[in-house]
Amino acid sequence: MEPIAKKWYDNLAKGKIMGIKCKDCGAYTFPPLTVCRECRSRNLKEVKMSGEGELVMYSSTMLPSAKFADLGKKAYGLIKLKEGPVFFTRIDGVKYNTPDEIRKGNEILPVKVKAKIEKVKGMNIVVFEKK
Ligand SMILES: [Zn+2]
């Protein structure tokens, strides 16, 4: 495992969701990378993320990675964090069993979401839940 990934999982195990903030341009990068997503600077500091954001769109059609395939169908969506980063991840608290439920759910977006850490198959992952 890459050192940055190991650190990510170590922090999650302690209940901490960390990102990085660029000391040059001020942009946040989440999940953490070794370079700033905006300016490619390596002049970075680790910061605790608020875990607050908005759900922009979601669906349940994306297949889970092989490791999580037997967990069944889940909702996945696009999150825009309060700090700026946008990324795709698992969403709880939305309806996704039928195309109609997904369509109706998307009509009321964006809605506020909050990050939580969940242990899945011995691995800590970050899931976003509709408030
Ligand atoms: Zn930067």
Side-chain angles (χ1 to χ4, degrees), residues 22 24-27 36 38-41:
C22 180
D24 291 333
C25 77
C36 171
E38 288 293 334
C39 72
R40 317 311 286 173
S41 168

Side-chain angles (χ1 to χ4, degrees), residues 8 10 19 23 27 40 45 50 58 97 99-100 102 116:
W8 165 253
D10 286 351
K23 290 183 191 170
R40 317 311 286 173
K45 66 173 175 184
S50 69
Y58 76 92
N97 284 317
D100 202 45
I102 292 170
K116 62 177 181 179

Side-chain angles (χ1 to χ4, degrees), residues 29-46:
T29 299
F30 181 86
L33 299 172
T34 53
V35 295
C36 171
R37 74 186 161 88
E38 288 293 334
C39 72
R40 317 311 286 173
S41 168
R42 291 179 181 269
N43 189 17
L44 309 166
K45 66 173 175 184
E46 197 177 43

Side-chain angles (χ1 to χ4, degrees), residues 29-85:
T29 299
F30 181 86
L33 299 172
T34 53
V35 295
C36 171
R37 74 186 161 88
E38 288 293 334
C39 72
R40 317 311 286 173
S41 168
R42 291 179 181 269
N43 189 17
L44 309 166
K45 66 173 175 184
E46 197 177 43
V47 289
K48 193 165 186 291
M49 301 300 284
S50 69
E52 289 174 24
E54 282 183 350
L55 176 61
V56 179
M57 63 78 68
Y58 76 92
S59 184
S60 70
T61 52
M62 187 189 229
L63 292 171
S65 63
K67 184 173 161 110
F68 300 116
D70 59 336
L71 296 173
K73 195 162 132 179
K74 299 278 183 192
Y76 290 85
L78 199 62
I79 299 287
K80 184 174 194 324
L81 285 183
K82 195 169 108 182
E83 292 90 346

